[in-house]
Amino acid sequence: MDCYTANWNPLGDSAFYRKYELYSMDWDLKEELRDCLVAAAPYGGPIALLRNPWRKEKAASVRPVLDIYSASGVPLASLLWKSGPVVSLGWSAEEELLCVQEDGAVLVYGLHGDFRRHFSMGNEVLQNRVLDARIFHTEFGSGVAILTGAHRFTLSANVGDLKLRRMPEVPGLQSAPSCWTTLCQDRVAHILLAVGPDLYLLDHAACSAVIPPGLAPGVSSFLQMAVSFTYRHLALFTDTGYIWMGTASLKVDVGDMAMGLVSRVCPKHMCSRPRSKERAVVVAWERRLMVVGDAPESIQFVLDEDSYLVPELDGVRIFSRSTHEFLHEVPAASEEIFKIASMAPGALLLEAQKEYEKESQKADEYLREIQELGQLTQAVQQCIEAAGHEHQPEMQKSLLRAASFGKCFLDRFPPDSFVRMCQDLRVLNAVRDYHIGIPLTYSQYPHALVLRRLYPLAIQICEYLRLPEVQGVSRILAHWACYKVQQKDVSDEDVARAINQKLGDTPGVSYSDIAARAYGCGRTELAIKLLEYEPRSGEQVPLLLKMKRSKLALSKAIESGDTDLVFTVLLHLKNELNRGDFFMTLRNQPMALSLYRQFCKHQELETLKDLYNQDDNHQELGSFHIRASYAAEERIEGRVAALQTAADAFYKAKNEFAAKATEDQMRLLRLQRRLEDELGGQFLDLSLHDTVTTLILGGHNKRAEQLARDFRIPDKRLWWLKLTALADLEDWEELEKFSKSKKSPIGYLPFVEICMKQHNKYEAKKYASRVGPEQKVKALLLVGDVAQAADVAIEHRNEAELSLVLSHCTGATDGATADKIQRARAQAQKK
């Protein structure tokens, strides 16, 4: 155990740091790291080197080379740089390489050197050029900050949703700041810069001068600054050789600031470590590496060659031409178990297990000591936790064997944590392999493998961990398919077939997403073939519209039966095509044409008229003009003109009835206007019957009769209209005269009914006597003369009439009448 802690270095009284080798780098670097632009992704990510950059004096004919390696030095991609001068490189959270050029253009490459996209940081950056750039990470994504030649800052907090912000101007800034960095506070990106002895914090609205609390006097400039991986802590290197450490908010917080004298030489790299047990900053010079904390003593390492530091969540990666190492604070569980003379439960359990393997009785002594203290459960948990933080598989196995040994003496220890740790370590050891080259630590473990195109390994891990198919294998297969569509040396037909054979109906896989990636790679036909396998029309149609395949999108929308989807495509087509082509497309799709007509009826009447005109649909065109005459026109002349157009359309449609009816309506409108001018009152928009009724109610009987003759209203209808109007006026005298003017074509029963409706039995009886024999009984019953109705029914010997009278016989008064009817029936039966 003493040998195991030989590489532990104390920092203060509460923390130890250790540095161990991850890989022996096998890359063939022809130049020093100092002569390259270098960018390394976090979480054991890849390393990008831009050889022969423009800052180095080289022949103009020599083009730079961009190389991408895994963390173990295995080449992943190499491409000749053919674009403009590059100022800075950086990796996004999605492991895309961002190359910031001097003209403000940012080129984005994939992990394997495939070009993804590019964007510009704005015209101002283009005009003033880029002096310096930073790629940073926030909870919203990866951002880019630019320092221009005009000494102004431009920033975008998320390159996936590019929104440029021009930061406020720094007062009196005439040259580039001595150092600067990005901070993320309250979910907002800020820029901290140093100008001589002053610090300024830029946000979207203002430039504020800030003073680090506890800063030693005599500082005339800040030479270097570093923010922690979590953006919570900050370190400032001053020209006096001191390092200030505190919170990134730069606010006074007791115990959160410290100053330490390190060196008067400006370091090449500086990384601020998140605070755990002991706050620390890692500083590197040409041949020296220091870990500086609150304690007066620091940890120093000798660097044999030029090195590069990569901040991580739980430590710092250090790579050079020959080695790749990891420096981190020893986790608490490991420290408890392995520190010298430790009596922690985990340390005793580990010793007990080793003695047990030697068949020594000391194993029982150690185990009893732990049990007497009641700390056996704690000891098992310590060994399991410490195993996760160990890099060497031998030590992992030793600690897990100790945990398994301790579990045997516990009755109810849940096995989940032990099983899960065994699974996690198998996964971590697999991805740490040299050929894969992802040196993830247990703290960094939640990270994907599919970005490296290690699909078989990723699927095996998902199956081993028993992840749900939708969360595991499906996502990996979808990522594989998105990679497959980028293989342009394979035909569209072969790629589509291979993807469908591999994916089939795998749940959670969207063919539309894969098709979108194919379209983004310029393979439109492949995208269309892939969309054929997409079962959801709602996913097919938007991409087809984006690909300018609107007619195919319309067919797919119609097949889906989703009217909302069809309307979406129709509106897109309307904006995309000229009117003639749009209408011709609709003619070939009857369902779409019908739906569009319904839309136009409520939204675009003029377009509806154009549709009818193009189709020579004169019948619908006539109906359209009739509706338009009432909906749009207020002047009588305009309405008549619209009706005339409608009548012409009906004649073209050979619908003479509709044409004649329309012409009659035109005559009626003109007559109603004349009646309003001559008689006053409201006649416009009344029907023909209502016009006649209104004239009668106004006492203009002759005009009503003339109107009836002009429009050939049948006598029966005219009598009904006049009867109803006079009854409503209760002009009984005029009604009686009217009834005697000539023989009624509707008979006299309606007179009885109308009078009884107006509750005038007296007048009703006048007309009851004039009712014909066939309706006599009904008329007498209406006026309440049941006895006479019975006599008439008996006289007619009509069974239906007898039954009708009987139904009206109620009470003692009509008892004799009922008996009379029954006797008449009996006599009829005898005969």
Side-chain angles (χ1 to χ4, degrees):
M1 208 180 299
D2 294 344
C3 181
Y4 182 74
T5 60
N7 65 341
W8 288 21
N9 297 275
L11 184 67
D13 299 329
S14 58
F16 288 88
Y17 277 77
R18 65 179 173 185
K19 181 164 67 77
Y20 56 84
E21 183 175 304
L22 297 172
Y23 305 107
S24 177
M25 302 296 279
D26 195 27
W27 50 12
D28 183 21
L29 296 185
K30 298 178 182 179
E31 301 184 29
E32 296 291 337
L33 290 178
R34 70 170 71 92
D35 298 326
C36 301
L37 286 176
V38 183
Y43 299 103
I47 301 169
L49 300 177
L50 185 58
R51 298 178 180 176
N52 185 28
W54 296 262
R55 63 184 181 185
K56 185 176 179 181
E57 297 297 328
K58 286 283 183 181
S61 60
V62 178
R63 287 187 176 275
V65 177
L66 177 63
D67 290 311
I68 301 176
Y69 299 91
S70 71
S72 59
V74 175
L76 299 178
S78 180
L79 60 139
L80 200 62
W81 189 260
K82 298 180 181 180
S83 192
V86 177
V87 175
S88 180
L89 299 177
W91 291 92
S92 71
E94 295 78 21
E95 292 196 346
E96 291 182 326
L97 182 62
L98 307 180
C99 306
V100 183
Q101 294 189 156
E102 194 179 59
D103 59 0
V106 181
L107 279 64
V108 184
Y109 289 87
L111 184 67
H112 296 269
D114 51 305
F115 178 75
R116 298 286 177 84
R117 64 187 187 281
H118 75 280
F119 57 89
S120 173
M121 293 299 290
N123 290 330
E124 182 184 353
V125 176
L126 175 62
Q127 294 172 2
N128 296 302
R129 319 305 280 176
V130 178
L131 288 183
D132 198 5
R134 299 279 191 278
I135 285 84
F136 59 95
H137 306 291
T138 69
E139 57 186 296
F140 305 107
S142 301
V144 178
I146 298 290
L147 172 63
T148 69
H151 308 123
R152 297 292 300 271
F153 288 91
T154 298
L155 178 146
S156 174
N158 184 3
V159 296
D161 181 18
L162 193 66
K163 295 178 181 177
L164 299 178
R165 282 169 37 199
R166 187 168 182 261
M167 306 303 280
E169 187 175 0
V170 180
L173 183 61
Q174 301 297 325
S175 60
S178 56
C179 57
W180 64 281
T181 190
T182 55
L183 302 177
C184 294
Q185 300 175 4
D186 301 325
R187 304 175 68 181
V188 178
H190 302 262
I191 289 178
L192 179 69
L193 68 151
V195 181
D198 302 319
L199 290 175
Y200 295 94
L201 187 66
L202 306 182
D203 58 21
H204 65 281
C207 170
S208 307
V210 291
I211 301 175
L215 183 67
V219 174
S220 58
S221 67
F222 296 91
L223 305 181
Q224 185 72 277
M225 59 177 63
V227 65
S228 68
F229 192 85
T230 58
Y231 290 92
R232 295 179 182 175
H233 294 85
L234 177 70
L236 304 172
F237 188 90
T238 67
D239 60 344
T240 58
Y242 281 86
I243 292 181
W244 179 92
M245 292 176 285
T247 59
S249 63
L250 294 169
K251 295 179 180 178
V252 177
D253 189 358
V254 177
D256 271 355
M257 51 191 176
M259 289 288 292
L261 178 63
V262 178
S263 170
R264 296 186 181 276
V265 180
C266 181
K268 286 183 59 182
H269 304 284
M270 190 166 73
C271 300
S272 177
R273 283 273 298 112
R275 182 170 186 172
S276 52
K277 295 179 183 177
E278 187 80 20
R279 178 176 36 215
V281 177
V282 181
V283 191
W285 288 268
E286 289 287 344
R287 291 292 181 267
R288 182 164 60 118
L289 182 77
M290 290 181 63
V291 183
V292 182
D294 294 334
E297 300 82 12
S298 60
I299 304 171
Q300 299 197 31
F301 300 94
V302 176
L303 300 176
D304 296 328
E305 51 191 337
D306 191 29
S307 301
Y308 189 87
L309 305 188
V310 186
E312 291 283 6
L313 177 66
D314 54 348
V316 178
R317 283 160 50 205
I318 307 161
F319 64 86
S320 63
R321 293 183 53 147
S322 59
T323 61
H324 195 160
E325 299 174 305
F326 186 64
L327 171 66
H328 74 129
E329 181 181 324
V330 177
S334 298
E335 183 181 337
E336 288 289 330
I337 293 174
F338 293 111
K339 69 181 179 182
I340 298 173
S342 173
M343 296 298 291
L348 295 176
L349 181 59
L350 181 61
E351 287 298 322
Q353 193 274 334
K354 289 180 178 179
E355 295 297 331
Y356 175 77
E357 288 184 347
K358 298 176 184 177
E359 299 182 355
S360 170
Q361 65 178 8
K362 289 185 178 180
D364 183 63
E365 295 176 5
Y366 286 127
L367 197 60
R368 285 181 182 277
E369 184 177 350
I370 301 171
Q371 289 177 321
E372 288 174 0
L373 296 173
Q375 296 178 334
L376 186 55
T377 300
Q378 182 183 352
V380 173
Q381 291 173 339
Q382 275 187 347
C383 289
I384 294 173
E385 183 181 351
H389 295 293
E390 294 304 317
H391 187 73
Q392 296 299 327
E394 293 78 12
M395 185 54 68
Q396 297 169 2
K397 293 176 183 178
S398 177
L399 288 165
L400 289 174
R401 279 195 295 267
S404 179
F405 177 70
K407 282 196 314 123
C408 296
F409 300 95
L410 291 171
D411 294 333
R412 295 182 179 178
F413 185 84
D416 297 348
S417 59
F418 181 83
V419 173
R420 184 68 181 176
M421 181 59 72
C422 291
Q423 293 176 337
D424 291 345
L425 286 176
R426 284 195 64 181
V427 173
L428 286 170
N429 290 335
V431 300
R432 289 168 181 168
D433 182 82
Y434 171 82
H435 298 287
I436 296 174
I438 307 177
L440 284 173
T441 65
Y442 185 72
S443 302
Q444 304 165 8
Y445 176 44
H447 204 64
L449 301 177
V450 292
L451 292 174
R452 316 291 176 89
R453 298 178 186 167
L454 304 171
Y455 304 112
L457 176 62
I459 291 175
Q460 290 174 12
I461 289 172
C462 290
E463 292 173 347
Y464 176 70
L465 296 178
R466 298 178 182 177
L467 295 178
E469 188 175 9
V470 174
Q471 298 178 10
V473 175
S474 295
R475 293 175 63 186
I476 295 167
L477 289 175
H479 198 282
W480 166 82
C482 291
Y483 160 68
K484 192 74 176 175
V485 300
Q486 300 175 35
Q487 296 178 342
K488 297 187 178 181
D489 56 333
V490 185
S491 68
D492 294 343
E493 191 71 34
D494 291 342
V495 172
R497 188 186 307 109
I499 290 175
N500 180 245
Q501 289 175 352
K502 193 77 168 179
L503 270 59
D505 298 326
T506 304
V509 174
S510 171
Y511 280 96
S512 61
D513 292 342
I514 302 168
R517 177 60 65 88
Y519 176 67
C521 296
R523 305 185 70 173
T524 304
E525 293 303 320
L526 173 58
I528 293 174
K529 291 180 184 297
L530 290 170
L531 283 177
E532 293 296 329
Y533 301 118
E534 175 59 60
R536 298 167 296 175
S537 298
E539 299 293 328
Q540 292 177 319
V541 170
L543 183 57
L544 287 171
L545 292 176
K546 185 178 179 181
M547 294 190 297
K548 309 296 183 184
R549 299 301 177 97
S550 304
K551 294 180 181 179
L552 181 57
L554 181 59
S555 299
K556 293 293 183 183
I558 292 172
E559 289 174 9
S560 73
D562 187 342
T563 54
D564 290 339
L565 200 59
V566 177
F567 277 128
T568 300
V569 179
L570 287 175
L571 294 177
H572 183 88
L573 277 170
K574 182 186 173 187
N575 295 327
E576 183 183 68
L577 304 177
N578 61 55
R579 180 168 289 234
D581 292 341
F582 177 56
F583 288 166
M584 288 301 296
T585 302
L586 291 180
R587 291 184 67 178
N588 297 326
Q589 298 286 357
M591 177 184 172
L593 179 59
S594 176
L595 287 173
Y596 189 66
R597 283 175 179 169
Q598 293 296 325
F599 170 78
C600 291
K601 283 180 181 179
H602 297 90
Q603 302 288 338
E604 298 181 4
L605 292 176
E606 286 302 315
T607 304
L608 182 63
K609 182 175 73 172
D610 294 341
L611 277 173
Y612 291 146
N613 275 322
Q614 182 166 7
D615 294 341
D616 292 332
N617 192 340
H618 299 296
Q619 177 65 37
E620 291 293 340
L621 194 59
S623 301
F624 170 83
H625 285 298
I626 287 178
R627 288 192 296 269
S629 70
Y630 284 91
E633 291 288 347
E634 295 183 358
R635 297 179 302 106
I636 186 66
E637 294 81 5
R639 292 169 65 177
V640 170
L643 289 173
Q644 183 61 58
T645 306
D648 295 340
F650 286 134
Y651 276 122
K652 291 179 182 178
K654 296 182 179 180
N655 188 343
E656 292 190 4
F657 172 78
K660 292 292 185 184
T662 306
E663 290 176 344
D664 287 344
Q665 180 64 21
M666 294 162 54
R667 289 170 51 211
L668 180 61
L669 281 175
R670 294 191 185 100
L671 178 62
Q672 288 173 339
R673 168 53 62 86
R674 190 163 63 251
L675 289 174
E676 285 190 355
D677 294 341
E678 295 176 2
L679 305 178
Q682 180 68 38
F683 287 94
L684 274 177
D685 295 330
L686 295 180
S687 67
L688 178 59
H689 288 180
D690 289 344
T691 303
V692 172
T693 301
T694 303
L695 288 172
I696 295 172
L697 290 174
H700 308 290
N701 293 317
K702 290 185 179 181
R703 282 183 177 267
E705 292 171 0
Q706 182 62 43
L707 181 61
R709 287 193 294 272
D710 292 342
F711 286 91
R712 298 178 183 178
I713 297 178
D715 280 349
K716 285 186 178 182
R717 194 175 305 163
L718 180 61
W719 271 69
W720 266 108
L721 293 173
K722 196 165 186 179
L723 169 61
T724 305
L726 292 174
D728 288 340
L729 287 174
E730 297 186 357
D731 191 348
W732 308 114
E733 184 179 349
E734 184 63 31
L735 180 61
E736 187 173 359
K737 289 180 182 179
F738 172 61
S739 69
K740 295 177 179 179
S741 60
K742 66 177 183 178
K743 185 178 179 180
S744 171
I746 60 174
Y748 291 96
L749 181 61
F751 284 80
V752 177
E753 293 173 337
I754 291 295
C755 291
M756 289 304 298
K757 190 176 180 180
Q758 297 292 333
H759 308 292
N760 192 335
K761 186 184 289 189
Y762 175 77
E763 292 292 333
K765 287 183 177 181
K766 291 181 181 179
Y767 303 107
S769 60
R770 300 169 65 182
V771 175
E774 67 280 358
Q775 294 180 326
K776 191 75 169 181
V777 172
K778 188 174 182 180
L780 291 171
L781 290 174
L782 283 172
V783 298
D785 196 344
V786 179
Q788 189 176 354
D791 292 339
V792 173
I794 293 171
E795 182 181 350
H796 291 169
R797 298 178 182 179
N798 189 315
E799 182 60 32
E801 290 181 347
L802 290 172
S803 299
L804 181 63
V805 175
L806 275 175
S807 67
H808 283 74
C809 293
T810 57
T813 307
D814 297 326
T817 302
D819 292 341
K820 187 177 180 180
I821 292 174
Q822 294 295 350
R823 287 195 300 273
R825 279 180 168 176
Q827 291 176 1
Q829 289 175 358
K830 288 179 181 180
K831 291 181 181 181

